[in-house]
Amino acid sequence: MNNTIGVIGLGVMGSNIALNMANNGEKVAVYNYTRDLTDKLLHRIEGQQINPYYDVQKFVQSLATPRKIFLMVTAGAAIDSVISSLVPFLEPSDIIMDGGNSHYEDTARRYDVLKSKGIDYLGIGISGGEVGALNGPSIMPGGDREVYEKVAPILTKIAAQVDGTPCCTYIGPKGAGHFVKMVHNGIEYADMQLITEAYSFLRDRLQLSVNEIADNFDTWNQGELKSYLIEITAEILKKKDDKTGLPLIDVILDKVGQKGTGKWTSMQAIDNGIPLSIITESLFSRYVSALKDERVIAEEILAGPKMEQRELDKDAWIEYVRQALYMGKVCAYAQGFTQYKMTSDLYDWNLPLEEIALIFRGGCIIRAEFLNGISAAYQSQANLTNLLIAPFFAEKVKEYQSGLRKIVCEGINSGISFPCLSTSLSYFDSFRTARSNASLLQAQRDYFGAHTYERIDMEGVFHTDWN
Ligand code: 6PG
């Protein structure tokens, strides 16, 4: 049959990836563990070359060699069992690609196992949700570069394109692609949380209506905050509930779910000594939101301050919120990209940070105008340790920090919860402090545990008999 690529897993993402490949001229074999999803996809075909198979062996045998098989299967044990079902029918140099949100360490493990059998494996981060999968996602492939080169013509074709450049680039060895996708999701969590905090201030403190806030997000989306998440927030706020006529946002239960990638991002940072407070706070905010019943009880018991009554100049304060949001985002991205840099150094991955910022400009959930600035920062300084000290961002945060300080103080005095905005400010203030209070912590450790300390004026390790 000589299908040019095969897709296994025909949920929404898998079906859309298969259609995207077929729309781009590939002859696609598809297989799903259960028949219903295959049949559902077949109803969506309009002349594209998509050929269904209901037997794994026949699916594999229909592929041109070296075979290229793209898995869009739920991360976890299902991937291992699909791989096991494929292996008996594969030959050396066939390529399996995992396009799901797999943990990067699982990907590295699968890479090693398959390598020992001569089968090539790529862990491919894909972002963009179902629309991105169909029309062009951002694609983060990890594995052997020469194996990537074999599938690059397909991947670059199906990726989002920005200014004629595909949002797909080789990321690094083994699990590097899935690692980059994982941290992308962590950044996504922080970005989303920062937006919700800006919304809280506009609604609760400035008393803007939901429509006014939506218009405001639309306006912000014309400027340097331009991004997919700002755009969809405006659309979400405009949406009315069919049943009640209220803004839909007002009837959605305030409990946030998560599928794990944000948690993995924080865990990896904690394990490796990487400061990731903003992303981690955004994760914890989701956990607090999940305690709905407890929060309802607590509201009866725990009074906060009265909402400040002082009249604020709306236009001026909307601008402060904009600056606070921008600066919070810079700090969150600075943490995420520091995680890339530190992990890349740790594993010798040589992650292409400049290109990672470029492939995030289109297709993915965190696509945003200011990724151009991030990419430019790494272009002029490939070894940049932190985005905050890149000249462009250093200048921005110098200007915008007063907005962030005003919003955090005013919000906190009004009893508004600001986990990520306040953490951004703390991170900024601690990062820009050359001589910090950590000396006192070291002294405390030495006092009760003789853990020793270093001195600023002498080499060596010291212990004081404090008593
Ligand atoms: C993407 C998304 C995608 C998914 C997340 C959502 O880049 O397309 O990040 O991967 O929407 O898994 O994560 P939570 O369910 O954890 O919020």
Side-chain angles (χ1 to χ4, degrees):
M1 191 62 171
N2 277 340
N3 289 306
T4 53
I5 190 157
V7 175
I8 296 187
L10 300 177
V12 185
M13 291 293 287
S15 299
N16 283 359
I17 282 283
L19 281 165
N20 185 348
M21 289 168 174
N23 289 340
N24 279 289
E26 296 301 320
K27 207 166 158 190
V28 188
V30 293
Y31 171 80
N32 194 72
Y33 180 60
T34 55
R35 193 184 175 108
D36 53 339
L37 294 183
T38 312
D39 293 340
K40 206 165 152 192
L41 170 61
L42 296 183
H43 284 116
R44 295 175 63 197
I45 296 176
E46 289 165 1
Q48 297 98 329
Q49 295 228 55
I50 294 191
N51 302 309
Y53 294 86
Y54 300 95
D55 174 273
V56 184
Q57 183 172 8
K58 292 200 176 107
F59 165 85
V60 172
Q61 284 166 349
S62 80
L63 295 167
T65 54
R67 300 180 178 88
K68 303 177 184 71
I69 300 175
F70 206 91
L71 310 185
M72 288 302 284
V73 176
T74 313
I79 300 275
D80 290 307
S81 80
V82 173
I83 291 174
S84 305
S85 71
L86 287 170
V87 165
F89 310 116
L90 297 181
E91 289 170 284
S93 297
D94 285 346
I95 304 167
I96 301 180
M97 294 165 270
D98 170 12
N101 273 330
S102 289
H103 193 288
Y104 74 101
E105 287 174 340
D106 286 336
T107 301
R109 170 178 58 76
R110 290 171 187 140
Y111 169 96
D112 286 336
V113 171
L114 289 167
K115 191 93 192 156
S116 68
K117 300 180 197 297
I119 295 164
D120 289 319
Y121 194 65
L122 296 172
I124 302 188
I126 296 215
S127 176
E130 44 186 290
V131 176
L134 183 62
N135 300 327
S138 177
I139 304 182
M140 300 148 237
D144 294 347
R145 188 187 280 274
E146 55 281 14
V147 176
Y148 165 67
E149 298 301 345
K150 292 183 192 165
V151 293
I154 301 179
L155 296 185
T156 50
K157 251 191 328 197
I158 65 164
Q161 314 283 323
V162 174
D163 303 334
T165 308
C167 294
C168 171
T169 196
Y170 175 70
I171 299 291
K174 293 193 178 188
H178 276 144
F179 176 82
V180 166
K181 174 60 184 11
M182 177 188 82
V183 177
H184 162 285
N185 281 21
I187 296 173
E188 172 187 304
Y189 278 36
D191 208 336
M192 292 165 75
Q193 176 65 27
L194 284 162
I195 290 172
T196 67
E197 292 174 24
Y199 161 79
S200 289
F201 192 90
L202 296 173
R203 187 142 191 204
D204 298 340
R205 180 62 185 93
L206 292 185
Q207 302 278 303
L208 300 191
S209 70
V210 177
N211 278 340
E212 285 171 319
I213 301 173
D215 291 343
N216 196 63
F217 274 102
D218 272 337
T219 306
W220 286 351
N221 201 38
Q222 310 301 314
E224 61 189 358
L225 277 176
K226 184 174 169 49
S227 63
Y228 173 70
L229 286 170
I230 294 281
E231 179 192 327
I232 65 163
T233 303
E235 282 177 24
I236 289 166
L237 295 176
K238 282 180 214 158
K239 188 90 183 156
K240 295 280 180 284
D241 174 35
D242 293 342
K243 297 190 179 59
T244 60
L246 291 169
L248 185 56
I249 189 73
D250 286 349
V251 296
I252 294 177
L253 185 65
D254 47 337
K255 257 171 125 168
V256 191
Q258 52 113 7
K259 294 204 195 74
T261 44
K263 181 180 80 177
W264 294 344
T265 308
S266 287
M267 287 167 70
Q268 194 273 348
I270 289 166
D271 281 345
N272 291 288
I274 300 169
L276 203 77
S277 50
I278 308 166
I279 289 172
T280 305
E281 268 302 334
S282 69
L283 174 74
F284 286 160
S285 303
R286 292 187 181 201
Y287 290 175
V288 174
S289 83
L291 304 176
K292 174 73 177 175
D293 296 345
E294 288 179 47
R295 290 189 287 116
V296 169
I297 296 167
E299 186 176 295
E300 298 293 315
I301 303 169
L302 305 172
K306 282 222 161 53
M307 186 62 70
E308 284 275 358
Q309 294 300 315
R310 186 167 61 98
E311 188 73 37
L312 299 178
D313 173 340
K314 282 205 170 119
D315 289 342
W317 281 81
I318 288 172
E319 173 56 13
Y320 299 147
V321 179
R322 190 190 72 81
Q323 293 180 2
L325 181 52
Y326 187 94
M327 183 158 166
K329 283 174 78 136
V330 174
C331 291
Y333 280 67
Q335 290 193 342
F337 274 74
T338 297
Q339 185 171 19
Y340 285 147
K341 170 91 177 69
M342 290 177 75
T343 307
S344 179
D345 291 348
L346 184 71
Y347 297 130
D348 242 345
W349 274 349
N350 206 12
L351 291 180
L353 299 185
E354 178 196 336
E355 286 174 44
I356 289 171
L358 285 183
I359 66 165
F360 284 172
R361 290 180 310 161
C364 69
I365 305 295
I366 63 170
R367 59 185 181 262
E369 190 67 32
F370 88 147
L371 284 155
N372 282 312
I374 297 182
S375 181
Y378 287 108
Q379 190 179 22
S380 49
Q381 242 180 305
N383 251 337
L384 182 67
T385 50
N386 193 304
L387 276 174
L388 283 168
I389 57 169
F392 176 78
F393 290 110
E395 210 38 54
K396 274 281 175 218
V397 296
K398 189 165 142 205
E399 193 189 334
Y400 286 1
Q401 62 176 293
S402 79
L404 179 57
R405 290 183 198 285
K406 286 194 177 79
I407 294 300
V408 168
C409 292
E410 186 68 23
I412 284 177
N413 283 332
S414 302
I416 300 174
S417 158
F418 272 161
C420 282
L421 285 173
S422 64
T423 303
S424 300
L425 189 52
S426 296
Y427 173 66
F428 174 71
D429 282 334
S430 50
F431 185 67
R432 66 180 184 82
T433 300
R435 169 83 183 144
S436 78
N437 55 17
S439 50
L440 179 55
L441 290 174
Q442 273 300 78
Q444 289 167 336
R445 293 179 67 243
D446 189 54
Y447 186 107
F448 60 68
H451 293 298
T452 74
Y453 56 88
E454 291 173 275
R455 294 181 56 98
I456 57 171
D457 52 358
M458 274 181 234
E459 288 290 312
V461 172
F462 299 87
H463 166 62
T464 294
D465 183 2
W466 294 92
N467 296 315

Coordinates of all heavy atoms in Angstrom, one line a residue, residues 380-437:
S380 N 21.4 37.4 20.6 CA 22.6 38.2 20.9 C 23.5 37.6 22.0 O 24.6 38.0 22.1 CB 22.2 39.6 21.1 OG 21.2 39.7 22.1
Q381 N 22.9 36.8 22.8 CA 23.7 36.2 23.9 C 23.3 34.8 24.2 O 22.4 34.5 25.0 CB 23.3 37.0 25.2 CG 24.4 37.8 25.9 CD 23.9 38.5 27.1 OE1 22.9 39.2 27.0 NE2 24.5 38.2 28.3
A382 N 23.9 33.8 23.4 CA 23.5 32.4 23.5 C 23.6 31.9 24.9 O 22.8 31.0 25.2 CB 24.3 31.6 22.5
N383 N 24.5 32.4 25.7 CA 24.7 31.8 27.0 C 24.0 32.6 28.1 O 24.3 32.4 29.3 CB 26.2 31.7 27.3 CG 26.6 30.3 27.3 OD1 25.8 29.4 27.5 ND2 27.9 30.1 27.1
L384 N 23.0 33.4 27.7 CA 22.3 34.2 28.7 C 21.8 33.3 29.9 O 21.1 32.3 29.6 CB 21.1 34.9 28.0 CG 20.3 35.8 28.7 CD1 21.0 37.1 29.1 CD2 19.0 36.2 27.9
T385 N 22.1 33.8 31.1 CA 21.6 32.9 32.2 C 20.2 33.2 32.6 O 19.5 32.4 33.2 CB 22.5 33.1 33.4 OG1 22.6 34.5 33.7 CG2 23.9 32.5 33.2
N386 N 19.7 34.5 32.4 CA 18.4 34.8 32.8 C 17.9 36.0 31.9 O 18.6 37.0 31.7 CB 18.4 35.3 34.3 CG 17.0 35.4 34.9 OD1 16.2 36.1 34.4 ND2 16.8 34.6 36.0
L387 N 16.7 35.8 31.5 CA 16.1 36.8 30.5 C 16.0 38.2 31.2 O 16.0 39.2 30.5 CB 14.6 36.3 30.2 CG 14.5 35.3 29.0 CD1 13.1 34.9 28.9 CD2 15.0 36.0 27.7
L388 N 15.8 38.2 32.5 CA 15.7 39.5 33.1 C 16.9 40.4 32.9 O 16.7 41.6 33.0 CB 15.4 39.3 34.7 CG 14.1 38.8 35.1 CD1 14.1 38.4 36.5 CD2 13.0 39.9 34.8
I389 N 18.0 39.8 32.7 CA 19.2 40.7 32.5 C 19.5 41.0 31.1 O 20.5 41.7 30.8 CB 20.5 40.2 33.3 CG1 20.8 38.8 32.8 CG2 20.3 40.2 34.8 CD1 22.2 38.3 33.3
A390 N 18.7 40.4 30.2 CA 18.9 40.8 28.7 C 18.5 42.3 28.6 O 17.5 42.7 29.2 CB 18.0 39.9 27.9
P391 N 19.3 43.1 27.9 CA 19.0 44.5 27.8 C 17.6 44.9 27.6 O 17.0 45.7 28.3 CB 20.0 45.0 26.7 CG 21.1 44.0 26.7 CD 20.5 42.7 27.1
F392 N 16.9 44.2 26.6 CA 15.6 44.6 26.3 C 14.6 44.4 27.5 O 13.8 45.3 27.8 CB 15.1 43.7 25.1 CG 13.6 44.0 24.7 CD1 13.2 45.1 24.0 CD2 12.6 43.0 25.1 CE1 11.9 45.3 23.7 CE2 11.3 43.2 24.8 CZ 10.9 44.3 24.1
F393 N 14.7 43.3 28.2 CA 13.8 43.0 29.3 C 14.2 43.8 30.5 O 13.4 44.2 31.3 CB 13.7 41.5 29.5 CG 13.0 40.8 28.4 CD1 13.7 39.9 27.6 CD2 11.6 41.0 28.3 CE1 13.0 39.3 26.5 CE2 10.9 40.4 27.2 CZ 11.6 39.5 26.3
A394 N 15.6 44.0 30.7 CA 16.0 44.7 31.9 C 15.4 46.1 31.8 O 15.0 46.7 32.8 CB 17.5 44.8 31.9
E395 N 15.4 46.7 30.6 CA 14.8 48.0 30.4 C 13.3 48.0 30.7 O 12.8 48.9 31.4 CB 15.1 48.4 28.9 CG 15.3 49.9 28.6 CD 16.1 50.7 29.7 OE1 17.2 50.3 30.1 OE2 15.5 51.7 30.1
K396 N 12.7 47.0 30.2 CA 11.2 46.9 30.4 C 10.8 46.8 31.8 O 9.9 47.5 32.3 CB 10.7 45.6 29.7 CG 10.4 45.8 28.3 CD 9.1 46.5 28.1 CE 8.9 46.7 26.6 NZ 8.2 48.0 26.3
V397 N 11.5 45.9 32.6 CA 11.1 45.7 34.0 C 11.5 46.9 34.8 O 10.9 47.2 35.8 CB 11.7 44.4 34.6 CG1 11.1 43.2 33.8 CG2 13.2 44.3 34.6
K398 N 12.5 47.6 34.4 CA 12.9 48.9 35.1 C 11.7 49.8 35.1 O 11.3 50.5 36.0 CB 14.1 49.5 34.4 CG 14.7 50.6 35.2 CD 16.1 50.9 34.6 CE 16.4 52.4 34.5 NZ 17.3 52.8 33.5
E399 N 11.1 49.9 33.9 CA 10.0 50.8 33.7 C 8.7 50.2 34.3 O 7.9 51.0 34.9 CB 9.8 50.9 32.2 CG 8.9 52.0 31.7 CD 8.6 51.9 30.2 OE1 9.4 51.4 29.5 OE2 7.5 52.4 29.8
Y400 N 8.5 48.9 34.2 CA 7.1 48.4 34.6 C 7.1 47.9 36.1 O 6.0 47.6 36.6 CB 6.8 47.2 33.7 CG 6.4 47.5 32.3 CD1 6.3 48.9 31.9 CD2 6.0 46.6 31.4 CE1 6.0 49.2 30.6 CE2 5.6 46.9 30.1 CZ 5.6 48.2 29.7 OH 5.2 48.6 28.5
Q401 N 8.2 47.9 36.8 CA 8.1 47.3 38.2 C 7.2 48.2 39.0 O 6.6 47.7 40.0 CB 9.5 47.2 38.8 CG 10.3 48.4 38.9 CD 11.6 48.1 39.6 OE1 11.6 47.8 40.8 NE2 12.7 48.3 38.9
S402 N 7.2 49.5 38.8 CA 6.4 50.3 39.7 C 4.9 49.9 39.5 O 4.1 49.9 40.5 CB 6.6 51.8 39.5 OG 5.9 52.3 38.3
G403 N 4.5 49.6 38.3 CA 3.1 49.2 38.0 C 2.8 47.9 38.8 O 1.8 47.7 39.5
L404 N 3.8 46.9 38.8 CA 3.6 45.7 39.5 C 3.5 45.9 41.0 O 2.7 45.4 41.7 CB 4.7 44.7 39.1 CG 4.7 43.3 39.8 CD1 3.3 42.6 39.5 CD2 5.8 42.5 39.4
R405 N 4.4 46.8 41.5 CA 4.4 47.1 42.9 C 3.0 47.7 43.3 O 2.5 47.3 44.4 CB 5.5 48.0 43.3 CG 6.9 47.4 43.2 CD 8.0 48.3 43.7 NE 9.3 47.8 43.1 CZ 9.9 46.7 43.6 NH1 9.4 46.1 44.7 NH2 11.0 46.3 43.1
K406 N 2.6 48.6 42.5 CA 1.3 49.3 42.9 C 0.1 48.3 42.9 O -0.7 48.3 43.9 CB 1.0 50.4 41.9 CG 1.8 51.6 42.0 CD 1.2 52.8 41.1 CE 1.9 54.1 41.3 NZ 3.2 54.1 40.5
I407 N 0.1 47.4 41.9 CA -1.0 46.5 41.8 C -0.9 45.5 43.0 O -2.0 45.2 43.6 CB -1.0 45.8 40.4 CG1 -1.3 46.8 39.3 CG2 -2.0 44.6 40.4 CD1 -2.6 47.5 39.4
V408 N 0.3 45.0 43.2 CA 0.4 44.0 44.3 C 0.0 44.6 45.6 O -0.8 44.0 46.4 CB 1.8 43.4 44.3 CG1 2.0 42.6 45.6 CG2 2.0 42.5 43.1
C409 N 0.5 45.8 45.9 CA 0.2 46.4 47.2 C -1.3 46.7 47.3 O -1.9 46.4 48.3 CB 0.9 47.7 47.4 SG 2.7 47.5 47.6
E410 N -1.9 47.3 46.3 CA -3.3 47.7 46.3 C -4.2 46.4 46.4 O -5.1 46.4 47.2 CB -3.6 48.5 45.1 CG -5.0 49.1 45.0 CD -5.3 50.2 46.1 OE1 -4.3 50.8 46.5 OE2 -6.4 50.4 46.4
G411 N -3.8 45.4 45.7 CA -4.6 44.2 45.7 C -4.5 43.5 47.0 O -5.5 43.1 47.6
I412 N -3.3 43.4 47.6 CA -3.1 42.7 48.8 C -3.8 43.5 50.0 O -4.5 42.9 50.8 CB -1.6 42.5 49.1 CG1 -1.2 41.3 48.2 CG2 -1.4 42.2 50.6 CD1 0.3 41.0 48.3
N413 N -3.7 44.8 49.9 CA -4.5 45.6 50.9 C -6.0 45.5 50.8 O -6.7 45.7 51.8 CB -4.1 47.1 50.8 CG -2.7 47.4 51.4 OD1 -2.3 46.6 52.4 ND2 -2.0 48.3 50.9
S414 N -6.4 45.1 49.6 CA -7.9 44.9 49.4 C -8.3 43.5 49.6 O -9.4 43.1 49.4 CB -8.2 45.3 48.0 OG -7.9 46.6 47.7
G415 N -7.3 42.6 50.0 CA -7.7 41.2 50.3 C -7.8 40.4 49.0 O -8.4 39.3 49.1
I416 N -7.2 40.8 47.9 CA -7.3 40.0 46.7 C -6.1 39.0 46.7 O -4.9 39.4 47.0 CB -7.2 40.9 45.4 CG1 -8.4 41.8 45.4 CG2 -7.2 40.0 44.2 CD1 -8.4 42.8 44.3
S417 N -6.3 37.8 46.4 CA -5.2 36.8 46.3 C -4.4 36.9 45.1 O -5.0 36.9 44.0 CB -5.8 35.4 46.5 OG -4.9 34.5 46.0
F418 N -3.1 37.1 45.2 CA -2.2 37.4 44.1 C -1.0 36.4 44.1 O 0.1 36.8 44.1 CB -1.7 38.8 44.1 CG -2.5 39.8 43.5 CD1 -2.3 41.2 43.8 CD2 -3.5 39.5 42.5 CE1 -3.1 42.2 43.2 CE2 -4.2 40.5 41.9 CZ -4.0 41.8 42.3
P419 N -1.3 35.1 44.0 CA -0.1 34.2 44.2 C 1.0 34.4 43.1 O 2.1 34.5 43.5 CB -0.8 32.8 44.0 CG -2.2 33.0 43.7 CD -2.5 34.4 43.9
C420 N 0.6 34.6 41.9 CA 1.7 34.7 40.9 C 2.2 36.1 40.7 O 3.4 36.3 40.5 CB 1.2 34.1 39.6 SG 1.2 32.3 39.6
L421 N 1.3 37.2 40.8 CA 1.9 38.5 40.7 C 2.8 38.8 41.9 O 3.9 39.4 41.7 CB 0.7 39.5 40.7 CG -0.1 39.6 39.4 CD1 -1.3 40.5 39.5 CD2 0.8 40.1 38.2
S422 N 2.4 38.4 43.1 CA 3.3 38.7 44.2 C 4.6 37.9 44.2 O 5.6 38.4 44.5 CB 2.5 38.5 45.5 OG 2.2 37.2 45.7
T423 N 4.4 36.7 43.7 CA 5.6 35.8 43.6 C 6.6 36.4 42.5 O 7.8 36.3 42.7 CB 5.3 34.4 43.3 OG1 4.4 33.9 44.3 CG2 6.4 33.5 43.3
S424 N 6.0 36.9 41.5 CA 6.9 37.5 40.4 C 7.7 38.6 41.0 O 8.9 38.8 40.7 CB 6.0 38.1 39.3 OG 5.3 37.0 38.7
L425 N 7.0 39.5 41.8 CA 7.7 40.6 42.4 C 8.8 40.1 43.4 O 9.9 40.6 43.4 CB 6.7 41.5 43.1 CG 7.2 42.8 43.6 CD1 7.9 43.6 42.5 CD2 6.0 43.6 44.1
S426 N 8.5 39.1 44.2 CA 9.5 38.6 45.1 C 10.7 38.0 44.4 O 11.8 38.2 44.8 CB 8.9 37.5 46.0 OG 7.9 38.0 46.8
Y427 N 10.4 37.3 43.3 CA 11.4 36.7 42.5 C 12.3 37.8 42.0 O 13.6 37.8 42.1 CB 10.8 35.9 41.4 CG 11.9 35.3 40.4 CD1 12.8 34.4 40.8 CD2 11.9 35.7 39.1 CE1 13.8 33.9 39.9 CE2 12.8 35.3 38.2 CZ 13.8 34.4 38.6 OH 14.7 33.9 37.7
F428 N 11.7 38.8 41.4 CA 12.4 39.9 40.8 C 13.3 40.6 41.9 O 14.5 40.8 41.7 CB 11.4 41.0 40.2 CG 12.1 42.2 39.7 CD1 12.9 42.2 38.6 CD2 11.9 43.4 40.4 CE1 13.5 43.3 38.1 CE2 12.5 44.6 39.9 CZ 13.3 44.5 38.8
D429 N 12.7 40.9 43.1 CA 13.5 41.6 44.1 C 14.6 40.7 44.7 O 15.7 41.2 45.0 CB 12.5 42.0 45.2 CG 11.8 43.3 44.8 OD1 12.3 44.1 43.9 OD2 10.7 43.6 45.3
S430 N 14.4 39.4 44.8 CA 15.4 38.6 45.3 C 16.5 38.4 44.2 O 17.7 38.4 44.6 CB 14.9 37.2 45.9 OG 14.1 36.6 45.0
F431 N 16.1 38.2 43.0 CA 17.1 38.0 41.9 C 18.0 39.2 41.7 O 19.2 39.1 41.4 CB 16.4 37.6 40.6 CG 17.4 37.2 39.5 CD1 18.1 36.1 39.6 CD2 17.5 38.0 38.4 CE1 19.0 35.7 38.6 CE2 18.4 37.7 37.4 CZ 19.2 36.5 37.5
R432 N 17.5 40.4 42.0 CA 18.3 41.6 41.7 C 19.1 42.0 43.0 O 19.7 43.1 43.0 CB 17.4 42.8 41.2 CG 16.5 43.3 42.2 CD 15.6 44.4 41.8 NE 14.8 44.8 43.0 CZ 15.3 45.6 43.9 NH1 16.5 46.1 43.8 NH2 14.5 45.8 45.0
T433 N 19.1 41.2 44.0 CA 19.8 41.6 45.3 C 21.1 40.8 45.4 O 21.1 39.6 45.5 CB 18.9 41.2 46.5 OG1 17.7 41.9 46.3 CG2 19.5 41.6 47.8
A434 N 22.2 41.6 45.3 CA 23.5 40.9 45.3 C 23.8 40.3 46.7 O 24.3 39.2 46.8 CB 24.6 41.9 44.9
R435 N 23.5 41.1 47.7 CA 23.8 40.6 49.1 C 22.5 40.4 49.8 O 21.8 41.3 50.2 CB 24.6 41.7 49.8 CG 24.8 41.5 51.3 CD 26.0 40.6 51.6 NE 26.1 40.4 53.1 CZ 26.4 39.2 53.6 NH1 26.7 38.1 52.9 NH2 26.5 39.1 54.9
S436 N 22.2 39.1 50.0 CA 20.8 38.9 50.5 C 20.8 38.4 52.0 O 21.9 38.2 52.6 CB 20.2 37.7 49.7 OG 20.7 36.5 50.0
N437 N 19.6 38.2 52.5 CA 19.5 37.7 53.9 C 19.8 36.2 54.1 O 19.7 35.7 55.2 CB 18.1 38.0 54.4 CG 17.0 37.4 53.5 OD1 17.3 36.6 52.7 ND2 15.8 37.9 53.7

